[in-house]
Amino acid sequence: HFTDEELKTRDAMLVAGEEPQWCLFDPMVSAYYGKLYQKTKKAEFFKLQQLFLSRALAAITGDDCKFGPWMCCEAYCLHGDKWEPNDN
C-alpha cells in the first residue's frame, strides 16, 4: 500500500509510451475473444482474437534473450532504447 505522496513521486517519473508492456494476459484475452467469435461469428471478435494471439506469440523470447529462448515473460521493460523481458 502506497501513500498519496509516494504515488505522486512515482507518477512524476513516468514517461508516456515507456510503461512496461505486460504480456501474461494476452493468451487469456485471445482465448476469451476466440470463444466470443465462436458464439457470435462477429468479425470484430475474430480480429481481436488474432490481435491478442499475435501479441502472445510475439512475447516469446528468442535465442538472444539472456534468460533463454522460448520463454514466456511476464512483461517487457524499456532499458535505454531496447525492450527487454523481465526475469519473472
Side-chain angles (χ1 to χ4, degrees):
H1 182 2
F2 296 100
T3 67
D4 287 343
E5 197 58 40
E6 289 171 323
L7 291 175
K8 286 179 187 175
T9 301
R10 180 206 63 187
D11 292 348
M13 295 185 286
L14 294 176
V15 177
E18 294 185 3
E19 306 89 355
Q21 299 297 304
W22 297 95
C23 306
L24 69 161
F25 300 108
D26 292 330
M28 293 178 275
V29 176
S30 174
Y32 171 77
Y33 281 120
K35 287 290 188 183
L36 283 178
Y37 172 71
Q38 286 177 333
K39 283 184 177 182
T40 67
K41 302 299 185 209
K42 292 184 178 180
E44 65 261 28
F45 294 139
F46 182 65
K47 288 179 183 176
L48 287 166
Q49 188 274 329
Q50 288 180 316
L51 170 69
F52 284 97
L53 176 61
S54 295
R55 283 179 51 96
L57 294 173
I60 296 171
T61 62
D63 292 335
D64 61 340
C65 178
K66 64 183 174 184
F67 305 115
W70 296 102
M71 303 292 281
C72 183
C73 62
E74 178 183 52
Y76 276 81
C77 301
L78 190 59
H79 296 280
D81 63 349
K82 185 176 179 188
W83 288 96
E84 296 181 356
N86 69 346
D87 59 352
N88 290 330

